[in-house]
Amino acid sequence: MENARYRAFAASVEMGSFSRAAEKMNYTPAGVCQLVNALEKEFGFPLLTRDKKGVRPTADGEKILVVIRDLLHQEDRLSQLAAEINGLATGKIVIGAYPSIATQWLPSVIKGFHEAYPHIDVLMTEGIRQDLEASLNSRSVDMVFYSCREPMPYEWIPLAEDPFVALLPPDHPFAGKEAYPLEQCQYENFIMPAVGKDADVLTIFRKYNLSPKIAYSTMENFVTTAMIEQGMGMTIMNDLVTQRWQFNVAKLPLDPPQSLTLGIALPSLEQASPAVRRFVKYAVTRLTASEQKGMQ
């Protein structure tokens, strides 16, 4: 019974309402509500705040949620291990990733993994660094594909070095140069992706004590590049983001060169479920092989 209560609470937080949690669990909304009420009675304090918009965890509920998700992951790990012993690879994996990695790397990886392990479901969510770290901290994802920043509180598996590039309008004075001087961006109309919170770009600015004028902020790098094509400004981003795009913009390496390390972060590979370990092994093999061939 405790297991059903835990799953009802976790599903309610994830879905934001009892009705949507009920759909996910194949329960009635009243049934989910009763399970959560029983868990709150057992613990002796409220786990959820309820209003007309739905439900959300209380401060105490947030603390409990991390532990409950760990317990549920361990139960899933046990079930998968038993299935593996019986010769069947099963399970579910939830992945978080930078949009660039989700676009350029993961579709072929997930497709190949599904062909090799058809009984393991893979779900993927995209986000900026802050969102991905929050998802990993709350255990709502099993792993994230993003860039390394110290201190790294999780187990880290590096995959590739990705250089930063400057994206400029086609008629920009530096468009025909061999490289773009990094300090020059202080004198440009700078367009900042990730709603002005691109952590990787901000790290470079802090490193060189640069203070560019942020003319525009966007959510998507695709939008940023479209604005640059129209001459509205310039930006810097890692090269992986720009692959396969058909924009009329100039792309130059930075001077001095800058790069970031892309890879996988997860709480513990040793303690992960068999499905997660299989996916990590498969992804590392595929992506490091691609890196040796030029990350096509």
Side-chain angles (χ1 to χ4, degrees):
M1 177 60 71
E2 287 78 7
N3 173 278
R5 294 174 182 174
Y6 296 159
R7 292 192 180 276
F9 171 54
S12 298
V13 173
E14 178 185 354
M15 306 306 293
S17 74
F18 289 140
S19 59
R20 289 193 291 272
E23 293 176 4
K24 179 178 180 179
M25 297 180 65
N26 199 26
Y27 276 46
T28 65
V32 172
C33 182
Q34 289 174 3
L35 289 170
V36 174
N37 289 342
L39 188 61
E40 291 178 319
K41 183 177 180 180
E42 177 185 341
F43 286 151
F45 51 82
L47 299 172
L48 295 175
T49 298
R50 300 142 168 95
D51 56 35
K52 293 181 179 180
K53 295 181 179 179
V55 300
R56 62 185 184 277
T58 62
D60 292 329
E62 290 278 8
K63 298 174 184 177
I64 293 295
L65 180 62
V66 175
V67 180
I68 284 179
R69 281 176 170 160
D70 278 337
L71 289 172
L72 295 177
H73 285 169
Q74 289 302 314
E75 181 182 358
D76 292 339
R77 181 186 175 205
L78 178 62
S79 298
Q80 293 172 29
L81 183 59
E84 190 175 60
I85 292 172
N86 287 316
L88 181 63
T90 65
K92 184 180 79 169
I93 304 165
V94 183
I95 300 167
Y98 277 168
S100 57
I101 297 177
T103 301
Q104 307 292 355
W105 289 359
L106 291 181
S108 63
V109 171
I110 294 173
K111 179 178 183 291
F113 183 79
H114 182 70
E115 291 171 351
Y117 303 102
H119 299 291
I120 298 179
D121 296 326
V122 180
L123 305 177
M124 182 169 64
T125 182
E126 307 165 36
I128 62 176
R129 182 178 197 89
Q130 295 89 328
D131 295 336
L132 296 177
E133 288 183 338
S135 296
L136 199 54
N137 290 339
S138 67
R139 300 299 191 270
S140 58
V141 297
D142 295 300
M143 70 190 84
V144 297
F145 286 72
Y146 65 173
S147 59
C148 182
R149 288 184 63 195
E150 298 296 344
M152 172 56 69
Y154 295 103
E155 186 164 347
W156 174 253
I157 303 171
L159 295 172
E161 288 293 315
D162 193 29
F164 279 95
V165 295
L167 296 186
L168 312 170
D171 59 352
H172 191 281
F174 282 87
K177 304 292 186 179
E178 293 185 359
Y180 180 84
L182 182 58
E183 64 178 14
Q184 175 66 26
C185 67
Q186 293 188 108
Y187 312 107
E188 307 270 12
N189 286 328
F190 196 90
I191 305 176
M192 178 68 82
V195 198
K197 300 177 182 177
D198 191 310
D200 297 316
V201 173
L202 291 174
T203 297
I204 295 176
F205 289 165
R206 286 192 293 268
K207 177 181 178 181
Y208 290 93
N209 195 29
L210 300 176
S211 302
K213 180 183 69 175
I214 309 300
Y216 303 98
S217 294
T218 65
M219 182 62 195
E220 300 290 343
N221 288 296
F222 191 89
V223 175
T224 301
T225 310
M227 295 171 70
I228 293 170
E229 186 179 47
Q230 295 299 315
M232 299 172 66
M234 59 81 60
T235 197
I236 62 174
M237 61 180 65
N238 56 303
D239 188 54
L240 183 64
V241 177
T242 70
Q243 293 180 15
R244 302 183 189 178
W245 284 2
Q246 301 298 319
F247 283 106
N248 182 24
V249 298
K251 182 171 73 172
L252 280 70
L254 296 179
D255 180 20
Q258 305 295 317
S259 66
L260 50 74
T261 303
L262 299 176
I264 306 171
L266 71 167
S268 169
L269 187 58
E270 181 180 357
Q271 296 298 318
S273 69
V276 168
R277 292 200 303 272
R278 285 181 185 273
F279 186 86
V280 169
K281 181 179 179 180
Y282 185 88
V284 169
T285 300
R286 283 286 300 267
L287 294 174
T288 53
S290 297
E291 166 69 3
Q292 295 170 2
K293 295 178 181 178
M295 273 295 181
Q296 297 181 352

